[in-house]
Structures are given as C-alpha cells and as structure tokens.
C-alpha cells in the first residue's frame, strides 16, 4: 500500500472512531416512579427525592430519566401501572404512598429493584423478610406514621383538654389502618379520652364522616396516614374549617395547605433517603444489601393562622415544642 493511500485510510478510520464510540454509549438509565397520590400533591416529595438522587451523582435529564405513573389515591389502577413500568424495562421502580404501590410493583417483577416508603411494618406487610436483611428485590424507608397516633392524640389533648370526644379518620384499605386505630384507641383509654373511629374511601364517605362528627359533637379530628387523604387534603381542610373542627394531620404539607397541626416524620428527609437509595442501586447496589431505613426525624408543625380562624389560643407549651410555627 502506498504511503498516501495509507494516510487517507487512517484519516477515514480516525473520523469513524468517535462515531462508533458515540453509538456504543449506554442508554440513559430510567427510574420508574409509581405514586399512590398525584404529581400535584407530591411536588415537595419529588424535590427531596431528586436531591437525594443528586447526592449519588444522578441528575434528572442529564444522566438519568424518570417515568411517572400516578394512581391518584386509588388502589385499583396500581397493578397495571406497575406492569407498565416493568414493560418499559426501567432500572428501578420507586414507589410512594404506602405499601399498596410497593406490593403491586413486587408482584409485577422479581428482577427489577423496588423501593418503597411505608407507614407500617414492612415485614408484616409482606414487603421484606426483615429490616436489616430485606432479601429479594425490595427495600425502602419506614416512616412510622402508623405508630404515631398516641403522640398525636396527646398533642391534641394538650390543646383541647376539656374535649369529651375526638374523631379518628382511617382509610380501611391501608394495611396499617387497623394498627393505627387500635393504638390510638388504647392511648385514649389510658387517659380517659373517648374516641370514635370513622372510615372513608371516597368523597361521599368523607361527607358522612363530618356529618357523624357534628352529630356526635366531636371536639376534634385525628386524620391518619393515607395517600387518598393526601389527594383529598384541600377538601378535608375546607370541611374542617367550615365546621370549626380542629384537626391533627400526619404530614407538614397538610398544615402548610391550611390544616391546624401535624406530627410525623420529615417528608424531606424520607424522600431524600429514598432518592439516595435509588442512586445507589443505579450504581450497582442490590436491594438485598440495603437495610430498610427507619426514619428518625420527626416534625411538629402548627399553623397559627388556622388556629386564629378557629378561635383557638395555642398553649405556650405547644408553641415551645413545635419545630415550626406558621404565622
């Protein structure tokens, strides 16, 4: 081969190499996000999730994509939404909104890693074998919402020590609903506080709940953890205000939206941890090697504007222990 021909061939090869290298770049990994609530309600959760993801080097749109599927507080669509993400061949399925989305994802795949956030015991809910050694393809974060009823009851009693009857609203579709009701009722009996447990899975049942509370002259309402109640938060908050009924919530976001008080684990911390785990899995970790995280950061939030609208004066003791007071 003549020197001129060799140089021409080499030049052509050199031009081709970068093109071949570009063609062999791995596809951007895709996270499937299966939400039990809605994109509108989960804005603060998604912000925290993206923050945790970035801690491991992943930025949405830059080196990772996220596909969302939302159940809008309903349980029936979850199996098909989970199956759709499996067909999409996502790298990991992240679920939010309690055990139901996680169980749907777990049933849909044994190979794709699944991450959850749940308020109850993930072992009893059938998600993992144990907290320290999850086993299988599932792990996540426990928020302890299901066990916070006694604390929420105590805070409400400090505000309303003379109230004869409190209502407790549960979503019976939640795996933790029975535990939430039982622990709150036990705490009520221990201090002599009468309680009435009410159930709602639809807007009509929410209306019936408030009718019962008014008829029984309940002094306050404790709303337990449920993705359905989050999707209905503006309706619930409006009814509580309309009927001058003080209510205790399980997430700070509901107090920021106009609710009176909330006590629960930090949403920002929970979803930051979830995003961090998603990034670790993208980097090669397996769910079986990632122990279930138990949330330890709790928040007590008070909305003074709502208290004023209800004609309530917050005791100095409650204000002193609040993590945040919205004025």
């Amino acid at each position: 081969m003549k020197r001129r021909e060799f140089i021409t061939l080499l030049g052509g090869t050199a031009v081709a190499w970068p093109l071949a290298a570009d063609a062999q770049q791995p596809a951007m990994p895709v996270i499937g996000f299966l939400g039990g609530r809605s994109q509108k309600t989960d804005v603060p959760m998604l912000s925290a999730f993206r923050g945790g993801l970035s801690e491991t080097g992943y930025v949405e749109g830059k080196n990772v994509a996220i596909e969302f599927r939302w159940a809008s507080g309903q349980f029936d669509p979850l199996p098909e939404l989970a199956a759709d993400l499996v067909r999409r061949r996502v790298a990991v399925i992240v679920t939010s909104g309690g055990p139901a989305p996680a169980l749907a994802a777990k049933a849909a795949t044994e190979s794709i890693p699944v991450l959850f956030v749940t308020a109850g015991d993930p072992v009893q809910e059938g998600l993992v074998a144990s907290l320290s050694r999850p086993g299988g393809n599932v792990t996540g974060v426990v928020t302890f919402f299901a066990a916070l009823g006694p604390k929420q009851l105590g805070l409400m009693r400090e505000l309303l020590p003379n109230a004869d009857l409190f209502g407790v609203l549960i979503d019976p579709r939640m795996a933790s609903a029975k535990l939430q009701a039982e622990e709150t009722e036990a705490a009520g009996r221990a201090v002599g506080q009468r309680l009435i447990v009410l159930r709602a899975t639809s807007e009509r049942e929410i209306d019936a709940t408030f009718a019962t509370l008014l008829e029984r002259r309940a002094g306050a309402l404790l709303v337990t953890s449920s993705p359905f109640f989050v999707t209905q938060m503006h309706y619930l908050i409006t009814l509580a205000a309309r009927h001058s009924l003080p209510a205790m919530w399980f997430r700070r976001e509901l107090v920021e939206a106009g609710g009176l008080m909330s006590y629960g684990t930090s949403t920002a911390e929970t979803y930051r941890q979830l995003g961090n785990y998603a990034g670790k899995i993208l980097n090669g970790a397996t769910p079986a090697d990632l122990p279930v995280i138990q949330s330890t950061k709790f928040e007590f939030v008070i909305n003074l504007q709502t208290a004023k609208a209800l004609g309530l004066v917050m005791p100095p003791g409650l204000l002193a222990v609040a993590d945040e007071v919205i004025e």
Side-chain angles (χ1 to χ4, degrees):
M1 182 182 291
K2 295 182 180 180
R3 182 173 182 273
R4 183 186 299 272
E5 292 173 343
F6 176 76
I7 292 173
T8 302
L9 178 61
L10 183 62
T13 304
V15 171
W17 282 345
L19 296 176
D22 287 342
Q24 292 172 7
Q25 287 293 322
M28 184 183 295
V30 178
I31 296 173
F33 195 102
L34 179 58
R37 296 177 292 263
S38 71
Q39 190 163 10
K40 183 178 180 180
T41 60
D42 275 25
V43 168
M45 294 78 153
L46 293 176
S47 177
F49 175 78
R50 292 183 176 104
L53 196 59
S54 69
E55 293 174 3
T56 61
Y58 290 95
V59 177
E60 184 183 9
K62 182 179 179 181
N63 56 359
V64 68
I66 306 177
E67 287 209 4
F68 296 95
R69 302 291 185 272
W70 300 100
S72 301
Q74 302 302 314
F75 285 46
D76 291 343
L78 289 169
E80 177 53 32
L81 293 175
D84 188 38
L85 290 174
V86 172
R87 288 192 293 269
R88 178 67 177 78
R89 296 185 179 181
V90 297
V92 55
I93 298 177
V94 177
T95 68
S96 71
L103 288 169
K106 182 181 180 182
T109 178
E110 295 181 355
S111 57
I112 298 174
V114 175
L115 295 176
F116 63 78
V117 173
T118 185
D121 182 342
V123 177
Q124 293 183 356
E125 291 166 348
L127 289 170
V128 296
S130 73
L131 298 183
S132 59
R133 298 178 181 275
N137 64 319
V138 183
T139 189
V141 186
V142 180
T143 63
F144 297 113
F145 283 139
L148 298 180
K151 177 66 175 180
Q152 293 165 338
L153 176 64
L155 292 169
M156 186 61 84
R157 277 176 53 82
E158 190 168 340
L159 174 63
L160 301 169
N162 298 320
D164 178 57
L165 178 68
F166 288 167
V168 180
L169 179 60
I170 67 169
D171 180 345
R173 298 170 299 180
M174 294 293 291
S176 59
K178 183 179 179 181
L179 174 64
Q180 293 179 33
E182 289 176 349
E183 292 203 355
T184 306
E185 286 179 311
R189 287 192 297 270
V191 296
Q193 177 66 61
R194 293 176 59 231
L195 299 173
I196 176 173
V197 177
L198 301 163
R199 296 161 176 80
T201 60
S202 66
E203 192 171 291
R204 185 172 67 177
E205 290 179 345
I206 289 175
D207 291 336
T209 290
F210 276 86
T212 299
L213 292 170
L214 292 174
E215 180 184 349
R216 297 286 299 272
R217 297 183 179 181
L221 174 64
L222 308 181
V223 182
T224 62
S225 172
S226 164
F228 172 65
F229 295 152
V230 176
T231 62
Q232 296 292 315
M233 65 178 174
H234 294 294
Y235 189 58
L236 285 162
I237 290 168
T238 298
L239 287 178
R242 181 184 302 163
H243 299 300
S244 299
L245 189 66
M248 168 67 76
W249 309 90
F250 52 92
R251 275 194 195 280
R252 66 174 299 131
E253 289 78 18
L254 287 91
V255 178
E256 293 171 345
L260 176 61
M261 300 190 298
S262 69
Y263 182 79
T265 48
S266 167
T267 298
E269 181 66 10
T270 295
Y271 281 85
R272 183 196 67 78
Q273 293 169 325
L274 194 67
N276 192 274
Y277 259 20
K280 287 182 177 180
I281 286 175
L282 293 178
N283 283 330
T286 63
D289 297 328
L290 297 174
V292 175
I293 298 172
Q294 302 179 61
S295 295
T296 57
K297 184 178 180 180
F298 297 87
E299 298 177 319
F300 175 40
V301 183
I302 297 172
N303 189 321
L304 280 185
Q305 292 181 340
T306 302
K308 183 178 180 180
L310 292 171
L312 297 171
V313 177
M314 282 289 167
L318 280 184
L319 294 173
V321 298
D323 295 283
E324 183 175 348
V325 177
I326 299 172
E327 302 193 41

